[in-house]
Amino acid sequence: MPKLFVTRELFPDVLERLAKYYELEVWDRYKEPPYEVLLRKSREADAFLSLLTDRIDCNLLSGSRLRIVAQYAVGFDNVDVKCATEHGIYVTNTPGVLTEATAEHTWALILSLARRIVEADHYVRWGEWWRVGTAWHPLMLLGVELEGKTLGVVGIGRIGSRVAEIAKAFRMRVVYYDVERKRELEEKLGIEYRELDDLLAVSDIVTLHTPLTPETRYLINEERLRRMKRGSLLINTARGAVVDTNALVKALREGWIAGAALDVFEREPLEPNHPLLAFKNVVVTPHIASATSETRRRMAELAAENLIAFYEGKEPPTLVNKEVVRRRSPGFG
Ligand code: GLV
Ligand code: GLV
């Protein structure tokens, strides 16, 4: 039986299913395995089931006995895919199954920021409402309304499209930017294409849905933040490094934008004394956009399906590096 190293505990029944094909070793601590452990395991294992926090770099891949890395995430910026392909190693991810959860979380962040939900909760919870003693005031905790506002979607893949679709229910106008213009989608969703700099200049809310690649690293930098409307909001459920955090802190401090809601950070976990946390108009969650029971289960099942297909000598259903097939056939035969 080929050996599979699972870098964190998953649903037991999914692991049981995998155990019919693979000899499993599961890292059962809450904390991620250190790089040295991954390195050692990669020399012994034929397959990895990895998380986005596992650094699967070329150093690890090139000296490994791995044939497949099945990532439990849609993003795979932690994996050196080019290097994997060169070494005939299959890389799979879990797209599609987390689209809804991530889009819903994006809207949870947008609404929290627009209607100051976290601030309002603190106002009640920590006794401020009581201390002030005013039950209702016309100007208490005013937010912004979504109807008629413009949502700018950066990256119109599965998640970005779903976020755009939901925006229509709020009667928002939606503009999008992507490296590829998608005319069919424009028609279908009633959205308009804009170059990125134009999108930033016209949007009341900008939401990021790109993968992290060398091209999207610091896509939202100081210059781009300066282009955003005063009074606009920035939402990031993609990857922290798509935004230059220092520039964002500056933008918030100097009031170039009115707020930010972030699920992802350049460095995770975010340190508790981080300057971002000093702003009332910043809402943060700890990289949980896909964290629903339904979605996490489907992600585990899809990762398992990829591993099982590979075992059976079939192309895994959500293979990232399709070119690898020409180099090496799937399977351990
Ligand atoms: C989560 O960030 C993912 O990429 O699935
Ligand atoms: C992820 O599933 C995306 O393509 O947006």
Side-chain angles (χ1 to χ4, degrees):
M1 255 188 182
K3 287 193 172 69
L4 168 64
F5 181 59
V6 181
T7 72
R8 226 67 49 80
E9 255 184 311
L10 293 176
F11 300 88
D13 56 309
V14 176
L15 292 177
E16 259 168 54
R17 189 167 157 222
L18 277 169
K20 299 200 183 96
Y21 305 86
Y22 290 90
E23 183 188 329
L24 297 195
E25 189 185 345
V26 180
W27 182 258
D28 59 5
R29 304 189 208 162
Y30 197 75
K31 222 174 151 54
E32 48 266 333
Y35 182 68
E36 295 65 42
V37 171
L38 292 177
L39 210 53
R40 194 167 68 245
K41 298 299 174 191
S42 72
R43 266 79 177 148
E44 301 159 6
D46 305 282
F48 265 13
L49 197 161
S50 61
L51 269 54
L52 56 96
T53 41
D54 300 321
R55 177 152 62 91
I56 317 278
D57 58 13
C58 203
N59 173 48
L60 180 149
L61 290 165
S62 56
S64 78
R65 51 174 286 144
L66 293 171
R67 302 288 318 281
I68 174 168
V69 175
Q71 168 97 340
Y72 178 82
V74 67
F76 45 83
D77 47 277
N78 58 306
V79 182
D80 189 334
V81 177
K82 186 165 166 279
C83 178
T85 307
E86 277 159 16
H87 289 86
I89 301 169
Y90 283 58
V91 179
T92 65
N93 67 339
T94 60
V97 294
L98 45 64
T99 303
E100 202 58 38
T102 307
E104 287 177 11
H105 193 74
T106 303
W107 278 101
L109 290 177
I110 293 173
L111 290 164
S112 300
L113 197 57
R115 299 307 299 272
R116 303 172 66 178
I117 299 296
V118 177
E119 247 183 287
D121 176 279
H122 290 182
Y123 189 76
V124 179
R125 187 181 304 268
W126 306 116
E128 196 63 12
W129 196 26
W130 179 258
R131 270 195 298 279
V132 172
T134 304
W136 197 91
H137 190 281
L139 302 182
M140 186 199 284
L141 285 161
L142 298 188
V144 294
E145 203 147 310
L146 300 178
E147 182 176 28
K149 297 282 166 30
T150 300
L151 178 72
V153 179
V154 179
I156 200 86
R158 285 167 291 257
I159 298 167
S161 306
R162 185 62 186 131
V163 168
E165 197 170 43
I166 297 170
K168 289 290 167 172
F170 286 106
R171 303 203 180 102
M172 296 183 78
R173 172 180 167 228
V174 181
V175 297
Y176 80 97
Y177 165 76
D178 202 296
V179 282
E180 239 181 283
R181 188 161 172 187
K182 304 203 176 144
R183 289 177 201 270
E184 257 169 56
L185 211 55
E186 289 173 24
E187 190 96 349
K188 182 171 159 235
L189 300 179
I191 62 180
E192 304 155 41
Y193 178 81
R194 287 282 183 284
E195 288 299 332
L196 180 57
D197 288 343
D198 295 341
L199 175 146
L200 296 172
V202 301
S203 298
D204 299 292
I205 301 175
V206 173
T207 184
L208 307 176
H209 301 287
T210 67
L212 177 63
T213 64
E215 291 74 35
T216 63
R217 184 173 292 275
Y218 282 12
L219 186 70
I220 305 302
N221 56 16
E222 174 162 346
E223 191 195 320
R224 295 239 163 82
L225 285 161
R226 283 185 189 276
R227 279 180 199 277
M228 288 178 67
K229 272 180 154 169
R230 278 197 172 243
S232 65
L233 308 173
L234 178 68
I235 317 297
N236 190 4
T237 54
R239 281 292 181 272
V242 176
V243 178
D244 176 348
T245 310
N246 290 332
L248 176 60
V249 168
K250 194 167 166 195
L252 289 161
R253 194 171 283 143
E254 299 183 5
W256 311 342
I257 65 172
L262 311 166
D263 183 53
V264 287
F265 305 89
E266 280 192 65
R267 259 210 4 231
E268 298 173 358
L270 186 72
E271 56 270 38
N273 57 354
H274 194 283
L276 277 173
L277 298 177
F279 300 101
K280 274 194 178 168
N281 51 344
V282 169
V283 173
V284 288
T285 52
H287 203 150
I288 54 164
S290 73
T292 66
S293 319
E294 295 89 341
T295 282
R296 288 291 164 84
R297 163 161 286 284
R298 286 193 297 255
M299 287 165 67
E301 283 164 0
L302 184 50
E305 278 158 30
N306 279 312
L307 285 161
I308 294 167
F310 184 87
Y311 175 93
E312 290 175 336
K314 298 182 199 140
E315 185 174 317
T318 52
L319 180 61
V320 168
N321 52 348
K322 298 214 185 283
E323 326 79 81
V324 76
V325 181
R326 272 184 278 117
R327 289 192 180 246
R328 205 164 180 182
S329 332
F332 298 98

